[in-house]
Amino acid sequence: MNANMATVEKPTILVVDDTPENLSLMMELLKDAYTVQLANSGERALKLAARVPHPDLILLDIMMPAMDGYEVCQRLKSYPPTRDIPVVFLTAKAEVADEKKGLEAGGVDYITKPISAPIVLARIKIHLALKAHADFLRDKSDFLEAEVSKRTREVLAIQDVTIMVLASLAETRDSDTGNHITRTQLYVKALAQHLAAHPKFSSLLTDAYIQMLYKSAPLHDIGKVGIPDRILLKPGRLDAQEFEIMKTHTTLGRDAIEHAEKRLGIQVGFLSMAKDIALSHQEKWDGSGYPQGLAGESIPLPARLMAVADVYDALISRRVYKQGMPHEKAAAIIQKGRGTHFDPDLVDAFVVLQDEFRQIAARFADAEAGVDDKKLLLDRLSV
């Protein structure tokens, strides 16, 4: 054999029998074509089978003290690393019932003693070929599954990045950093997780639903890209005409997401939720909000959650046209809006979680420099 050629490893066969003469006989029969391991008890067989690399095939006697072959086979099949090793029973038990019991225990074949050497070798060759084919299919399946999982993660990562870029494009026109997005995401998630234990909301607020909420939340103000700077950044109160233009950010956001959905050609759960949030997060519990004047539970729950999160964050955040207020004052305003602006159950949840809201706000606070730089720019433009 050429020294540069790779050595092909011989398949390994584990022979299990409590009779030394039988072990010697099988060693002589198999040693030229296979790597042979010997075990004189069921316990020893399980230890050898569990070692890496695992044997390619096991020839197993049934009648052994302490642990018989049926139990050995069942244990092999219940242990994932050895589950796929083919087991061929090699035994003097020749009754049909014995063979049936062996196959039900997980054996792939049943050969009775005294053995015929050509028959044993032929059966071994067949089962090794079948195992090689099964291993190939299993490896291919595992590879494909890993590739699909990898591609799915990549697509989701690209999707998430795209959402955040689009949302930041809208938010930074108004709030100077992308931290408003992160804060409102976390507020909404905290509220939803708390309400998941509430009998009224538990059936809807599953882990998957909350994850969709978290993913959808950044798009709540995407429609602001369509609002002129003179209105969006106006330092004083908006007049009636300006306010009507500002209100259109809800329908602009819904329409933009809907257009993207149509171009995509399929329904996507988080986009449907994002449409509800973008359109209805300015609605009020008493029906005095916009754009549709919805009231109570006719306002989609995701939008009701965002209403609390968005108003709280707007109150505590500094902008070029206002200072942020302390948490206590903002929390009092949220509580005052219970049953008028906000869903009462959501305000009750906010009261319980307000320390967590405060911590989120502190952790993801806006950079003061960004606000000052934008204010300076606006002052120059207005000259």
Side-chain angles (χ1 to χ4, degrees):
M1 179 177 178
N2 191 319
N4 294 324
M5 293 178 63
T7 302
V8 178
E9 291 187 3
K10 295 187 291 186
T12 298
I13 296 178
L14 171 60
V15 182
V16 188
D17 199 305
D18 64 319
T19 304
E21 292 80 6
N22 290 339
L23 292 176
S24 298
L25 174 64
M26 296 309 299
M27 173 62 82
E28 286 299 315
L29 178 63
L30 302 173
K31 67 181 182 180
D32 291 337
Y34 304 105
T35 298
V36 183
Q37 296 178 333
L38 303 176
N40 61 2
S41 68
E43 184 178 355
R44 175 65 177 162
L46 293 175
K47 289 180 180 179
L48 288 175
R51 289 181 183 175
V52 178
H54 304 294
D56 296 289
L57 183 141
I58 298 173
L59 296 175
L60 180 60
D61 186 26
I62 292 177
M63 294 184 293
M64 296 184 293
M67 186 187 306
D68 67 17
Y70 298 131
E71 184 178 349
V72 173
C73 187
Q74 289 168 345
R75 291 197 184 190
L76 289 168
K77 297 304 173 182
S78 66
Y79 181 51
T82 60
R83 179 177 53 207
D84 298 317
I85 303 172
V87 175
V88 176
F89 284 104
L90 205 60
T91 178
K93 292 175 73 69
E95 297 296 325
V96 172
D98 297 321
E99 183 174 352
K100 180 175 181 290
K101 186 175 180 180
L103 296 175
E104 288 175 346
V108 296
D109 207 342
Y110 195 95
I111 302 173
T112 57
K113 300 174 182 176
I115 65 166
S116 165
I119 294 297
V120 170
L121 292 173
R123 298 276 187 89
I124 288 173
K125 186 175 181 180
I126 289 170
H127 288 298
L128 286 174
L130 290 172
K131 181 180 185 295
H133 183 65
D135 288 346
F136 171 78
L137 293 178
R138 192 179 303 109
D139 291 344
K140 187 174 182 180
S141 176
D142 290 344
F143 172 77
L144 291 174
E145 185 176 339
E147 281 295 300
V148 169
S149 179
K150 177 184 175 184
R151 298 299 181 193
T152 300
R153 290 196 302 271
E154 289 174 353
V155 168
L156 289 175
I158 292 169
Q159 183 185 83
D160 290 346
V161 168
T162 303
I163 291 168
M164 296 305 292
V165 168
L166 290 173
S168 295
L169 179 65
E171 293 298 340
T172 53
R173 293 188 61 230
D174 173 289
S175 61
D176 306 295
T177 79
N179 288 356
H180 170 72
I181 296 169
T182 302
R183 291 192 300 267
T184 51
Q185 269 188 306
L186 293 172
Y187 299 150
V188 166
K189 185 177 183 180
L191 285 170
Q193 288 177 331
H194 180 81
L195 289 166
H198 193 298
K200 185 175 178 180
F201 302 100
S202 59
S203 62
L204 180 61
L205 291 175
T206 62
D207 289 344
Y209 190 92
I210 293 171
Q211 184 59 32
M212 273 205 299
L213 270 171
Y214 184 78
K215 182 175 285 192
S216 306
L219 295 174
H220 67 282
D221 272 343
I222 190 68
K224 283 184 177 179
V225 295
I227 304 300
D229 283 345
R230 63 180 176 82
I231 296 173
L232 191 65
L233 301 176
K234 184 177 179 179
R237 286 181 64 88
L238 301 178
D239 62 32
Q241 184 179 14
E242 290 168 336
F243 186 55
E244 288 302 313
I245 294 173
M246 175 62 84
K247 284 160 64 174
T248 63
H249 82 275
T250 55
T251 52
L252 287 172
R254 186 274 314 274
D255 293 347
I257 297 169
E258 197 167 73
H259 179 70
E261 204 172 31
K262 287 179 180 177
R263 290 288 299 270
L264 189 60
I266 57 173
Q267 288 280 321
V268 180
F270 88 89
L271 287 179
S272 296
M273 188 178 288
K275 284 191 298 182
D276 285 342
I277 294 175
L279 180 65
S280 303
H281 70 283
Q282 296 290 348
E283 301 286 3
K284 296 182 179 180
W285 186 255
D286 63 5
S288 64
Y290 64 88
Q292 296 174 299
L294 301 178
E297 293 184 3
S298 63
I299 306 169
L301 178 59
R304 281 148 45 204
L305 289 162
M306 178 53 71
V308 175
D310 197 36
V311 170
Y312 172 78
D313 201 66
L315 292 171
I316 65 166
S317 298
R318 183 188 175 196
R319 296 290 183 266
V320 294
Y321 47 82
K322 76 174 187 72
Q323 293 295 319
M325 65 176 60
H327 164 83
E328 291 75 15
K329 187 174 180 179
I333 291 173
I334 296 293
Q335 292 176 64
K336 186 178 179 180
R338 185 183 187 277
T340 54
H341 192 152
F342 307 112
D343 181 337
D345 290 319
L346 272 58
V347 173
D348 293 344
F350 167 81
V351 171
V352 174
L353 297 169
Q354 60 177 305
D355 284 343
E356 186 172 345
F357 271 57
R358 190 205 305 262
Q359 291 168 12
I360 292 169
R363 183 181 176 191
F364 297 98
D366 291 331
E368 292 294 316
V371 181
D372 292 336
D373 290 346
K374 180 170 277 191
K375 189 175 187 303
L376 180 62
L377 176 61
L378 289 173
D379 289 343
R380 288 174 179 173
L381 291 174
S382 63
V383 174

